[in-house]
Amino acid sequence: MNWVRRRLGQSMAPVVGGVAILAVWELALLVTNPDGFVLPPPSEIIGAVFNNWDAVFDAARNTGFIIVTGLVVGVLLAVGAALLVTRFRTANEIITPLAVSMNAVPIIALAPIFNAWFGLLSPRSNQAIVVVLVFFPVFINTTKGLTQVEPSQLELMESYAAGKWRISREVRIPNAMPFFFTALKISTSLAVIAAIVAEYFGGRQDALGPLITQSAGLTRYADAWAAVLAGTVIGGILYTLAGALERVAMPWHSSVRTDRQSN
Amino acid sequence: MTTVAVAVSSCSKIFNHGKSNEVHALDEIDLAVEDGEFITLIGPSGCGKSTLLRLIAALTDPTAGRVEVNGKSAEQARLDQDYGMAFQRAGLFDWRTVSKNIELPLELMGWSRVDRVRRAGEMLELVKLPEFGGHHPSELSGGMQQRVAIARSLAFSPSLLLMDEPFGALDEMTREHMQDELIRIWAETNTTVVFVTHSIPEAAYLSSRVVVMSPRPGRIASVIDVDLGNRGDHTREDPAFFEKVTEIREALRAVEST
Ligand SMILES: Nc1ncnc2c1ncn2[C@@H]1O[C@H](COP(=O)(O)OP(=O)(O)OP(=O)(O)O)[C@@H](O)[C@H]1O
Ligand SMILES: [Mg+2]
């Protein structure tokens, strides 16, 4: 019976913690009732979501589209670049310094410039920001996983006279999987931040970014928080999906397996 | 006339040549291994045993000298998949099951699925892990992983086996069992074996010749012929066996004290 309690305890702990924080938040505002304070209580935020369901839902859908497309394109480009870089020396000499210097650029700061390039109301600029922001962590981590292979494993493949492509398929790519998924999980939250902040500067007007700035401008803070909540939910869903994908792709991985054992 | 399986001629290996961290790992090594011989390399840690084995496997190039395997260059022999190798570290792939790890060389050689599965099953029987085929390597103990690696190196019955301390992580009884199996396979299949070990009794028990190496730079200090006839449990208690053990120990002591 002990393990049942432990299991319940494990999965309930974050829920209990979250509810406790919300309760303290709600109560603190109720008791102190600060004048003109811009933090609405959770109940009001939930209320705002339901009152503006159509607007919040549409905005979440539009921003969600930018996040998902940007994420997919950014991840695919990064993985492609990582494969190129580890396979061809010249590609490495061209792409790696480029990617590193690109990473030093504060990319969010480019949002207004991207808007000028793609058109002020085009979602393309927002997508581009997401793509660029997601690229770097995935590229760096995947490259690391493709190159940091145990030397004896490479020598073993060499002793079988395996070709470069075969070594990639049998050793480098499986070895890179845990690195890739770590980066993918980081990227989900990066993509949400990138999309919403980019939307502050331009793109579609019926999206989460404008909903936040406009509501805040009209002192409708509960609505602004409702939009933030919607972004949080999108981030949570994407993170969970990435984790699920990880489990499916790497049934052998010890972290996944220990998970399963302790669950 | 016996043919020569491995011919190492005046081979030297210097790592990081010309740099401050230069290591003279091997110096002017001459070694001829005849077809069907069982050669053991023994010597203090760092004397270049693994390096010599990797030279034969064409996994590293000699700084000077030449290595021939089965009458061709070591590199050609590697490309022709003439040898099987078991490394000092098991080097199993975590993303493959134990069975699939053993099948890997067979896959690369184009065996059919049915043959591969059957062979992997036989090899697992051989190393006494028949029920672990579906497990992943990380679920096995270090010694069990090492046995899987040995099974993998034997799976395609190579004519030349290069083994770097393959039994180092095994308990005494498993070790003796694996030694007997290896001797049996060697005797039955006319395989040539080059085997690295730190264990003097193991060297005496397995080999037809023991090569004693000295360190800094790695050289062949002496070569001891062993002729104990058919090996078996009786051999381990044979006075002739103990004489060989003593002979090897004294040769090693001479090396260590210089
Ligand atoms: N890749 C390498 N780069 C630089 N030095 C190396 C390399 N590989 C081996 N050496 C050096 O060559 C020497 C011989 O190493 P080697 O691994 O062949 O020894 P060994 O006899 O197998 O030792 P052990 O019994 O501990 O396995 C050592 O001094 C080692 O430091
Ligand atoms: Mg060694």
Side-chain angles (χ1 to χ4, degrees):
Chain A
M1 287 335 280
N2 209 5
W3 67 273
V4 173
R5 203 175 314 146
R6 202 168 341 118
R7 257 173 61 168
L8 269 180
Q10 265 173 10
S11 56
M12 290 307 283
V15 177
V16 171
V19 168
I21 289 171
L22 290 180
V24 171
W25 177 352
E26 184 88 35
L27 277 175
L29 291 175
L30 203 69
V31 173
T32 57
N33 195 16
D35 217 22
F37 195 61
V38 294
L39 183 67
S43 56
E44 221 172 279
I45 295 170
I46 302 288
V49 172
F50 286 109
N51 289 335
N52 299 326
W53 177 255
D54 286 344
V56 173
F57 184 80
D58 276 349
R61 205 184 46 205
N62 292 332
T63 302
F65 177 76
I66 285 165
I67 292 167
V68 171
T69 50
L71 191 63
V72 169
V73 173
V75 167
L76 288 180
L77 283 179
V79 170
L83 286 171
L84 271 180
V85 156
T86 44
R87 186 68 181 70
F88 303 104
R89 181 177 291 257
T90 35
N92 184 24
E93 281 161 6
I94 297 167
I95 298 177
T96 307
L98 212 78
V100 171
S101 44
M102 203 173 77
N103 184 53
V105 177
I107 288 151
I108 287 286
L110 289 178
I113 300 169
F114 276 33
N115 282 325
W117 289 354
F118 293 97
L120 190 59
L121 297 181
S122 162
R124 290 276 172 276
S125 63
N126 302 345
Q127 280 168 317
I129 293 281
V130 176
V131 169
V132 176
L133 213 69
V134 159
F135 180 86
F136 192 76
V138 177
F139 171 73
I140 285 295
N141 276 285
T142 309
T143 305
K144 202 169 167 192
L146 289 170
T147 45
Q148 283 186 358
V149 179
E150 211 189 292
S152 67
Q153 298 189 336
L154 292 179
E155 288 199 329
L156 185 81
M157 293 303 284
E158 272 179 57
S159 82
Y160 298 142
K164 281 222 157 77
W165 162 239
R166 199 66 196 252
I167 293 179
S168 282
R169 211 181 77 194
E170 300 290 352
V171 186
R172 293 188 187 279
I173 293 175
N175 190 68
M177 293 287 238
F179 294 81
F180 166 76
F181 278 107
T182 303
L184 182 67
K185 286 194 267 184
I186 296 169
S187 299
T188 55
S189 54
L190 270 182
V192 175
I193 297 170
I196 293 180
V197 175
E199 283 170 351
Y200 288 167
F201 299 98
R204 296 180 68 125
Q205 288 310 288
D206 48 354
L208 291 178
L211 188 60
I212 294 169
T213 46
Q214 284 157 17
S215 305
L218 299 169
T219 69
R220 294 168 57 168
Y221 294 110
D223 291 356
W225 277 92
V228 172
L229 181 63
T232 310
V233 169
I234 294 172
I237 292 172
L238 288 176
Y239 187 91
T240 312
L241 278 178
L245 207 61
E246 180 178 33
R247 268 157 223 265
V248 174
M250 307 191 301
W252 70 83
H253 196 237
S254 56
S255 75
V256 175
R257 234 189 354 263
T258 8
D259 270 10
R260 208 189 294 148
Q261 272 162 7
S262 60
N263 276 343
Chain B
M1 256 295 285
T2 45
T3 51
V4 175
V6 178
V8 180
S9 339
S10 15
C11 266
S12 298
K13 179 71 188 180
I14 302 172
F15 288 106
N16 309 316
H17 201 18
K19 303 205 189 99
S20 61
N21 56 349
E22 181 177 289
V23 180
H24 204 145
L26 293 173
D27 185 50
E28 292 282 318
I29 299 281
D30 281 299
L31 178 68
V33 183
E34 278 165 18
D35 235 357
E37 254 194 309
F38 198 126
I39 289 260
T40 301
L41 308 178
I42 195 167
S45 184
C47 71
K49 305 180 294 291
S50 298
T51 306
L52 180 52
L53 211 60
R54 290 170 66 246
L55 277 180
I56 298 171
L59 294 173
T60 181
D61 295 323
T63 312
R66 185 171 164 74
V67 183
E68 281 187 11
V69 174
N70 292 341
K72 41 197 165 181
S73 73
E75 177 65 15
Q76 191 56 47
R78 178 180 74 84
L79 295 174
D80 292 348
Q81 301 168 327
D82 277 5
Y83 66 82
M85 184 147 189
F87 291 88
Q88 208 163 346
R89 297 177 64 181
L92 299 176
F93 297 123
D94 251 342
W95 41 89
R96 285 176 165 256
T97 60
V98 165
S99 248
K100 289 271 177 199
N101 264 284
I102 299 173
E103 287 176 39
L104 177 65
L106 310 180
E107 274 177 38
L108 287 157
M109 288 169 190
W111 286 38
S112 76
R113 217 187 90 81
V114 186
D115 289 347
R116 290 197 316 254
V117 172
R118 187 180 41 76
R119 192 46 185 255
E122 290 167 11
M123 297 321 288
L124 281 171
E125 290 283 345
L126 180 73
V127 296
K128 302 218 156 140
L129 294 168
E131 66 274 36
F132 287 96
H135 285 63
H136 282 275
S138 55
E139 295 167 319
L140 269 54
S141 75
M144 289 156 86
Q145 292 181 14
Q146 198 59 45
R147 277 186 276 163
V148 177
I150 293 161
R152 179 177 60 186
S153 68
L154 296 173
F156 64 100
S157 317
S159 68
L160 172 63
L161 258 177
L162 306 173
M163 307 184 97
D164 197 348
E165 296 182 44
F167 304 154
L170 306 184
D171 66 90
E172 199 56 32
M173 293 320 288
T174 313
R175 191 175 178 131
E176 289 190 359
H177 165 74
M178 292 302 305
Q179 289 169 354
D180 287 329
E181 287 298 333
L182 183 60
I183 281 282
R184 186 182 60 74
I185 291 166
W186 168 69
E188 282 175 7
T189 59
N190 194 40
T191 311
T192 310
V193 186
V194 182
F195 188 99
V196 173
T197 183
H198 275 141
S199 158
I200 297 168
E202 183 166 87
Y205 186 73
L206 293 174
S207 325
S208 40
R209 270 198 299 163
V210 178
V211 173
V212 181
M213 293 178 66
S214 63
R216 275 172 303 270
R219 288 200 176 106
I220 294 179
S222 53
V223 178
I224 298 169
D225 285 310
V226 185
D227 187 11
L228 297 173
N230 278 339
R231 310 299 205 272
D233 279 341
H234 60 89
T235 315
R236 296 186 198 275
E237 283 149 23
D238 187 346
F241 170 69
F242 290 116
E243 273 171 35
K244 279 298 160 193
V245 168
T246 309
E247 194 180 339
I248 299 167
R249 176 172 294 124
E250 279 168 3
L252 268 173
R253 214 169 261 148
V255 163
E256 301 261 18
S257 60
T258 51

